[in-house]
Amino acid sequence: MLIARAVGVLAIVVLLLSGRWLLDGWARYMAARQMHAGAISAAQQWLAWSAWLDPEDGETERMQAVCFRHLYQSDQWEKALQTAQRKGASAAGIRLEFTLGSIQ
């Protein structure tokens, strides 16, 4: 009984310490699934949750840029890419998105 309580308390502590990070990753994962299915508006809703959970995550902004590219919103696409770069998103991901946006 004591061991079960200790494991439960440990699980709660871990969830409290890493919960936002886990939920942020889950929201970006769900956004990627929605984008893959062509549901850009739903993807943007998931990305809004991701941005709320971790406002300094550059990957969320990079994924926003992908959404804007699919919606042909070039001004927002460019701003999202600049913000993603400033927030430290992967350079390879930004280069790829810039190339795809330039082609489009």
Side-chain angles (χ1 to χ4, degrees):
M1 187 71 136
L2 182 61
I3 293 174
R5 286 184 184 169
V7 169
V9 168
L10 181 62
I12 290 172
V13 169
V14 168
L15 185 61
L16 289 174
L17 294 176
S18 64
R20 285 182 78 97
W21 178 79
L22 290 172
L23 291 174
D24 174 44
W26 177 256
R28 281 196 320 273
Y29 169 76
M30 292 301 294
R33 286 185 54 136
Q34 294 297 324
M35 278 192 275
H36 183 71
I40 304 303
S41 295
Q44 286 181 314
Q45 291 172 348
W46 281 107
L47 290 172
W49 277 107
S50 177
W52 181 77
L53 290 164
D54 188 359
E56 294 305 314
D57 190 340
E59 289 303 313
T60 300
E61 292 295 328
R62 187 190 58 77
M63 290 177 73
Q64 279 284 14
V66 173
C67 289
F68 291 134
R69 176 173 50 86
H70 285 291
L71 294 171
Y72 301 101
Q73 296 176 349
S74 60
D75 291 338
Q76 289 88 348
W77 171 80
E78 187 174 350
K79 287 177 190 175
L81 272 183
Q82 289 172 354
T83 304
Q85 188 173 23
R86 184 174 38 83
K87 289 183 178 181
S90 71
I94 290 175
R95 273 193 310 272
L96 175 63
E97 182 56 30
F98 183 77
T99 301
L100 291 172
S102 297
I103 291 170
Q104 188 171 352

